[in-house]
Amino acid sequence: MAIRQMLRRSLSSEKRSNSSGTEVPKGHFAVYVGENEKKRFVIPVSYLNHPSFQELLFQAEEEFGMPQKNGAEQPDTSGSMSKSQRTKMIKPSDDNEKKSSSAKKLKDSEICVPIVYGNIAFWLGKKASEYQSHKWTVYVRGATNEDLGVVVKRAVFQLHSSFNNPTRVVDSPPFEVSESGWGEFEIAITLHFHNDVGDKPLHLYHHLKLYPEEESGPLSTKKPVVVESYDEIVLSEPSESFFARVQNHPAVIVPRLPSGYTLPPVPIEDLDNRNKGDTKDHPLTQWFTNFSEADELLKLAAARQQVQAHIARLRRQLSLIDGQHQQLKAASDM
């Protein structure tokens, strides 16, 4: 609905400002909608920062792959036909059969993709100015620094509107954006998946952190502020083609299939691209938080010891109180 309203407003403004129908006003660009009878819309450049408009462009690119000539060409989706119906109308039948075959689902199965998202910020020290106090990087990475490109096709980072080009699109791993500034703000991160994954874009939100907590001490140019969150992308009932492509990839956790189950062959190019975008050699790796299971087990063991020690202290205190109570009771009986 938001996209239709934007296009209608743009169409009305086009009629007012462009009688010839060929010139594009400054600060605008042309969009052609439809297959045969194209409708021409003049869109303000500012709409490129609108999440709904970006989503429309991404969907058109992934589904239709239509060329761009004198303006951005988009399929006409103003009708009520479903996504699958539109695809059938413009793709040949053999493509549909191929898609149907590759989309065969694995029932009662789940693929898990552990991810970490957050930021690392360095104080600039003597080089800091009023508006440039920190250099920071916001990112999404594999929990063990493996290549997320096997699942994630594109990451979109929405920065504060005060930045030039606040919408940053990263089409290949590592999925990160580096900038400099002075203020903290919320960053919206949208992950778009490969076609065979079949899931809608995932929206994450991270509050950019530049300054350490009070108990962490003063600012330092050598020790950065690191804020990370661990999460898991759970993909239910994956397609056979997707399962076959990622089953031996270290970035994902896959279930064991029944004995004798046959998966479709994996394209050679997918095998060659494995580990292409991992972050193990990333210059910031030394500051990444370790979210491995072994590390978590050590933390749990340490916490258990603390709890047990606290319980032992409480028992000793209760024993002392009980002894004092018995002495007072004996004295009162006398």
Side-chain angles (χ1 to χ4, degrees):
M1 182 62 69
I3 288 295
R4 294 179 187 175
Q5 292 174 350
M6 291 163 62
L7 291 176
R8 287 168 184 163
R9 289 200 300 267
S10 300
L11 180 59
S12 62
S13 64
E14 176 195 6
K15 291 180 178 178
R16 292 195 303 268
S17 62
N18 186 14
S19 59
S20 66
T22 57
E23 297 181 357
V24 178
K26 185 177 180 180
H28 295 68
F29 66 97
V31 173
Y32 298 90
V33 179
E35 289 288 330
N36 298 319
E37 298 182 1
K38 293 183 173 63
K39 299 178 183 178
R40 183 175 184 271
F41 299 90
V42 176
I43 308 295
V45 174
S46 60
Y47 283 5
L48 290 174
N49 291 331
H50 196 288
S52 298
F53 196 85
Q54 293 169 8
E55 186 66 25
L56 173 67
L57 294 178
F58 289 148
Q59 290 178 2
E61 177 189 355
E62 293 178 359
E63 296 179 23
F64 302 94
M66 299 189 72
Q68 296 182 358
K69 299 176 182 178
N70 297 326
E73 296 188 2
Q74 302 295 338
D76 188 355
T77 59
S78 59
S80 60
M81 71 176 66
S82 67
K83 178 178 177 181
S84 59
Q85 289 174 325
R86 293 201 309 271
T87 303
K88 288 180 181 179
M89 288 177 63
I90 61 174
K91 287 190 176 183
S93 58
D94 56 342
D95 284 350
N96 289 328
E97 293 176 0
K98 181 179 180 181
K99 183 176 180 181
S100 175
S101 175
S102 64
K104 186 177 180 181
K105 302 292 186 179
L106 291 172
K107 299 296 184 181
D108 302 323
S109 295
E110 289 183 346
I111 289 180
C112 177
V113 186
I115 64 170
V116 174
Y117 59 97
N119 78 267
I120 294 180
F122 287 89
W123 181 50
L124 297 178
K126 294 181 179 180
K127 298 181 181 179
S129 63
E130 182 179 0
Y131 298 106
Q132 302 288 332
S133 61
H134 289 77
K135 182 178 180 180
W136 51 265
T137 299
V138 60
Y139 49 83
V140 180
R141 63 178 179 88
T144 54
N145 300 323
E146 301 293 349
D147 179 15
L148 286 181
V150 68
V151 176
V152 179
K153 179 180 181 180
R154 174 188 298 114
V156 181
F157 296 83
Q158 187 65 46
L159 308 184
H160 192 271
S161 58
S162 60
F163 285 86
N164 292 328
N165 183 24
T167 303
R168 308 293 175 87
V169 180
V170 183
D171 289 316
S172 61
F175 299 108
E176 62 182 34
V177 170
S178 295
E179 265 293 353
S180 58
W182 59 271
E184 298 180 346
F185 56 92
E186 186 178 67
I187 299 177
I189 307 171
T190 303
L191 301 182
H192 297 263
F193 302 106
H194 289 289
N195 293 336
D196 60 354
V197 177
D199 269 42
K200 296 180 180 179
L202 174 65
H203 301 283
L204 305 171
Y205 298 91
H206 172 72
H207 188 83
L208 178 68
K209 189 73 175 176
L210 304 182
Y211 302 93
E213 301 295 339
E214 295 181 0
E215 60 269 19
S216 300
L219 293 172
S220 171
T221 57
K222 296 182 179 180
K223 184 178 180 181
V225 172
V226 182
V227 179
E228 294 188 322
S229 298
Y230 174 91
D231 207 338
E232 294 179 351
I233 303 174
V234 178
L235 306 171
S236 301
E237 298 189 352
S239 66
E240 287 187 342
S241 59
F242 174 56
F243 191 101
R245 187 167 64 83
V246 304
Q247 62 176 334
N248 295 318
H249 199 285
V252 302
I253 301 173
V254 299
R256 179 175 296 180
L257 293 178
S259 178
Y261 197 100
T262 303
L263 293 171
V266 181
I268 297 177
E269 58 268 22
D270 289 335
L271 294 173
D272 293 340
N273 289 333
R274 184 164 295 169
N275 299 333
K276 184 177 180 180
D278 64 49
T279 53
K280 291 183 178 180
D281 296 327
H282 196 285
L284 300 177
T285 301
Q286 61 176 318
W287 306 112
F288 288 161
T289 306
N290 184 4
F291 288 96
S292 68
E293 291 185 3
D295 186 59
E296 291 299 313
L297 289 174
L298 290 175
K299 291 180 179 178
L300 289 173
R304 182 179 180 182
Q305 290 179 353
Q306 293 180 358
V307 171
Q308 290 176 340
H310 186 63
I311 292 175
R313 285 197 300 270
L314 291 177
R315 285 177 175 173
R316 288 196 296 267
Q317 293 176 0
L318 288 174
S319 179
L320 291 174
I321 294 173
D322 185 61
Q324 294 174 356
H325 177 72
Q326 294 294 338
Q327 291 177 0
L328 291 174
K329 184 178 179 180
S332 62
D333 292 341
M334 295 177 61

